[in-house]
Amino acid sequence: MTASEARKDVTAGRRSHPVSGGPVVQLPSEFGVFVAQAWTDLVTGIEHLAVSSPIPPVDGKAPLVRLHSECLTGDVFGSYRCDCGEQLAYALEKISEEGGTLLYLRGQEGRGIGLANKIKAYALQEAGFDTVEANEQLGLPVDARCYNAAAQILAELGLHEVRLLSNNPDKQNRLADAGVTVVEMVPTEVPSREQNIRYLQTKKDRMDHRLVLDSQEAEPVAASPSAGPAPFQHEQD
């Protein structure tokens, strides 16, 4: 039995997650020209966006794929409390150069706890808790994200074997459970900052993220008059 046949057998035994895709349009950006397609999760009603390079993957490799969880504070406002916006930019640059797809997964703010709860977690972090402890203090899961819709969108796009742009091995495991084979994990580590180094260390130590950290220095950032003495940290990968 070939790998393709084995994958079909596995997929046939697994109930698919209903999603619906819209029209494909061009999306010119500072990172290059992409094609974009909106997808609706028919179970939750949440809308996601697939942003793909029109070029085939280089050297016949499996396509790069980034599952990027929505982060309003990092992606839109450029928050230094996390590395989300910088990872988003890095992933788009890599996909533009090497081919692949970024799925922008909405409804996953703060690793799935929502924007308001994420701000509550920030307040607890400023009181001394780390990102894991803050969620626990709120009675919330450390990571509430679900990747069923993402896996189904990848399947609909014909992306059954991917090179995953992530530092988070949990994403690899979740995709494997959903029938998507991750043939390689491609790191997305970006330089740390004074404001997020504790958060990144927590992800490495307590959530098994594949981060180096000790080989890179925090990027100097001008002090803010409103910033407290403790480093800020939270967010996701």
Side-chain angles (χ1 to χ4, degrees), residues 28-221:
S29 77
E30 64 176 297
F31 305 103
V33 178
F34 298 95
V35 292
Q37 185 177 21
W39 291 83
T40 302
D41 182 331
L42 298 179
V43 174
T44 64
I46 296 174
E47 297 172 327
H48 307 293
L49 186 68
V51 179
S52 305
S53 169
I55 67 171
V58 296
D59 301 327
K61 294 181 178 179
L64 288 170
V65 164
R66 167 73 179 169
L67 304 183
H68 191 86
S69 297
E70 178 181 28
C71 176
L72 180 69
T73 50
D75 299 340
V76 177
F77 295 103
S79 170
Y80 286 169
R81 299 181 76 133
C82 67
D83 57 348
C84 300
E86 291 158 311
Q87 284 196 77
L88 176 61
Y90 177 80
L92 288 171
E93 289 173 357
K94 290 282 286 185
I95 288 170
S96 177
E97 294 169 359
E98 300 185 26
T101 295
L102 181 140
L103 290 187
Y104 194 84
L105 302 174
R106 300 179 66 237
Q108 294 198 354
E109 189 81 42
R111 297 195 302 271
I113 65 174
L115 180 60
N117 280 328
K118 185 173 80 169
I119 300 303
K120 291 177 183 177
Y122 278 172
L124 288 170
Q125 289 158 26
E126 292 181 12
F129 295 97
D130 68 28
T131 181
V132 171
E133 294 164 344
N135 282 32
E136 292 172 341
Q137 287 291 314
L138 292 170
L140 298 170
V142 174
D143 193 336
R145 290 174 291 181
C146 175
Y147 298 105
N148 291 341
Q152 188 62 38
I153 292 169
L154 293 178
E156 297 282 347
L157 293 173
L159 302 176
H160 300 287
E161 294 185 352
V162 305
R163 298 163 59 221
L164 187 64
L165 279 161
S166 179
N167 306 314
N168 185 359
D170 184 55
K171 287 186 179 180
Q172 178 180 6
N173 298 334
R174 300 278 197 97
L175 285 179
D177 289 344
V180 178
T181 300
V182 177
V183 299
E184 182 184 358
M185 290 282 286
V186 180
T188 57
E189 185 165 4
V190 295
S192 58
R193 297 177 181 275
E194 178 186 356
Q195 293 93 335
N196 66 21
I197 187 64
R198 186 186 175 207
Y199 145 71
L200 294 172
Q201 192 69 52
T202 300
K203 288 205 298 186
K204 178 180 180 179
D205 294 343
R206 303 194 62 183
M207 303 178 73
D208 297 325
H209 284 224
R210 297 171 182 174
L211 297 169
V212 179
L213 296 183
D214 54 0
S215 70
Q216 55 185 23
E217 297 179 358
E219 182 176 335
V221 181

